[in-house]
Each structure stands twice: as C-alpha cells, then as structure tokens.
C-alpha cells in the first residue's frame, strides 16, 4: 500500500492539521531519518504552503492546532509544535504550547529546524547569496573543494541533495558527495 493511501486511511481522508478534505498530499516532516509513514503528515495545500513559507502564515487558519496538537501521530505533533512556536508572539499559540507535552526525542525532532528558539539565539545558515538554508534543501558547489582527510576533490557544479545543518555553527552544513558524507562551508554553496 502506498504512503498516500496509508496516510489517507490514518487521517480519514482529511488534512491532519486543519481538517480540510481537498487538495491533500503527503508532507514529509524534515529532517527525515527513514522517511515513510512515521515521518509524514497528510496535509492540504494551504497548510503546506504556510509551513514552507513563514511570510504566508494566517494566524486564524492555525487555530485548528487547538485540536490537532493532541493527535496521537508524532509527525502531526511535531508540525503543530513548530507552527505554534513560530506564531507564539500572538499570545494564544504560547498558551497552547504551554499545554503541549512532547517526549524528549519528539521535542528534539521538533526543534531540529530551529523553530522555538529565540531569534537572537537562532543559528541561520545562509548560502553564498545570503539565501536561508533549511534541512533537506539541495545546494550546488560554486568552487572545487578539497575534502580534508582524503584525496577527494568535490567539483564545482556538484549538486548536494538533502543537506543537514550543523546546530553549533551557522557556517557548516553536511551532505553526501560521491557517496561520502562531508562537511561543507556555506560560503561555497548556492541553493538550488
């Protein structure tokens, strides 16, 4: 059975966040470890657009989190926590966050994208053009890079997919080049 059918069955053919019944699709909650059902949410285009584009957030649309934050499925809880954290300055989202409980592993996953951190403490990873990088983005190398500790040279123009962000240094990202996981300095990449 496909992930989309399993999610449709799990959700009752409704958006697991707002309850909409149209324009539903699979949304993978980043960063993923294994992918699949345990790291996905069945969501509508409106919710996905507002998750991916913080400038499009409509506070009234997300009042639905009052119900969906109690969903038994962990990916739904993670997305609810992230959206409430993003909007917490509005008041009511902070009240919901105060009621919400996530176990340590789930909370770590929810915080992996930097949501919930104060803006002054939040690490922001930017490419060579100043574009903000997120977990799971794809980048291209803009310069040949020697890989320390090996004889490998990562060539200019190489695409690096599904990057991971370093949580301690805003200048470092990780990704696979020629099947080898390497650390890359953000000033040498451009987001695709």
């Amino acid at each position: 059975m496909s992930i989309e059918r399993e999610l449709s069955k799990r959700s009752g053919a409704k958006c697991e966040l707002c309850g909409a019944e149209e324009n539903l699709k699979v949304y993978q909650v980043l960063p993923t470890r294994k992918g699949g059902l345990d790291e996905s949410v069945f969501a509508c285009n409106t919710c996905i657009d507002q998750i991916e584009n913080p400038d499009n957030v409509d506070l009234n649309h997300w009042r639905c989190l009052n119900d969906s934050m109690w969903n038994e499925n962990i990916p739904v809880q993670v997305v609810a926590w992230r959206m409430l954290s993003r909007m917490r300055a509005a008041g009511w989202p902070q009240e919901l966050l105060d009621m919400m409980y996530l176990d340590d592993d789930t909370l770590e996953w929810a915080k992996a994208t930097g949501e919930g951190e104060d803006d002054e403490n939040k690490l922001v990873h930017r490419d060579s053009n100043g574009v903000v990088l997120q977990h799971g983005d794809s980048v291209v190398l803009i310069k040949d890079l020697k890989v320390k500790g090996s004889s490998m040279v990562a060539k200019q123009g190489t695409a690096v997919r599904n990057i991971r962000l370093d949580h301690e240094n805003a200048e470092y990202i990780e990704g696979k080049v020629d099947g080898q996981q390497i650390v890359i300095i953000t000033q040498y990449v451009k987001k695709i």
Side-chain angles (χ1 to χ4, degrees):
M1 186 181 282
S2 74
I3 284 184
E4 187 168 352
R5 276 189 275 163
E6 288 182 47
L7 284 172
S8 179
K9 184 177 176 184
R10 177 177 92 183
S11 67
K14 294 181 181 178
C15 175
E16 292 182 285
L17 299 166
C18 73
E21 297 180 6
E22 295 180 5
N23 300 318
L24 303 173
K25 62 183 179 181
V26 176
Y27 176 74
Q28 261 198 327
V29 182
L30 298 175
T32 58
R33 296 178 199 131
K34 300 171 279 187
L37 190 65
D38 294 334
E39 294 181 356
S40 300
V41 172
F42 206 44
C44 66
N45 285 340
T46 303
C47 286
I48 292 171
D49 176 57
Q50 293 185 39
I51 291 166
E52 294 178 343
N53 302 300
D55 295 338
N56 295 347
V57 171
D58 173 11
L59 287 172
N60 285 325
H61 174 80
W62 292 104
R63 291 203 179 261
C64 59
L65 295 178
N66 190 32
D67 295 324
S68 56
M69 69 185 231
W70 303 111
N71 191 298
E72 64 186 21
N73 298 296
I74 291 174
V76 178
Q77 296 171 15
V78 167
V79 173
W81 187 93
R82 288 178 183 172
M83 292 307 297
L84 290 170
S85 294
R86 183 182 295 174
M87 302 179 300
R88 70 178 179 263
W92 63 265
Q94 183 61 54
E95 293 172 12
L96 294 180
L97 272 174
D98 292 342
M99 289 189 285
M100 196 170 185
Y101 171 79
L102 299 178
D103 64 50
D104 292 341
D105 290 340
T106 304
L107 186 58
E108 183 180 326
W109 183 21
K111 288 183 175 181
T113 58
E115 294 289 351
E117 294 180 21
D118 295 332
D119 288 338
E120 61 193 41
N121 298 331
K122 193 175 185 178
L123 286 179
V124 178
H125 295 71
R126 296 183 184 273
D127 73 0
S128 59
N129 295 327
V131 176
V132 175
L133 299 172
Q134 303 278 341
H135 273 283
D137 281 348
S138 295
V139 297
V140 66
L141 301 179
I142 61 169
K143 176 181 175 181
D144 286 355
L145 302 174
K146 285 188 172 185
V147 178
K148 287 186 179 179
S150 79
S151 60
M152 180 179 148
V153 175
K155 297 287 187 189
Q156 177 179 349
T158 301
V160 182
R161 308 209 182 285
N162 198 18
I163 64 167
R164 295 176 186 256
L165 307 179
D166 184 312
H167 295 296
E168 296 174 8
N169 190 330
E171 293 183 10
Y172 294 154
I173 60 172
E174 293 179 21
K176 282 191 177 182
V177 174
D178 294 333
Q180 183 177 347
Q181 188 79 11
I182 63 170
V183 175
I184 307 166
I185 299 174
T186 56
Q187 70 187 26
Y188 301 123
V189 300
K190 183 173 74 173
K191 186 173 177 178
I192 298 176

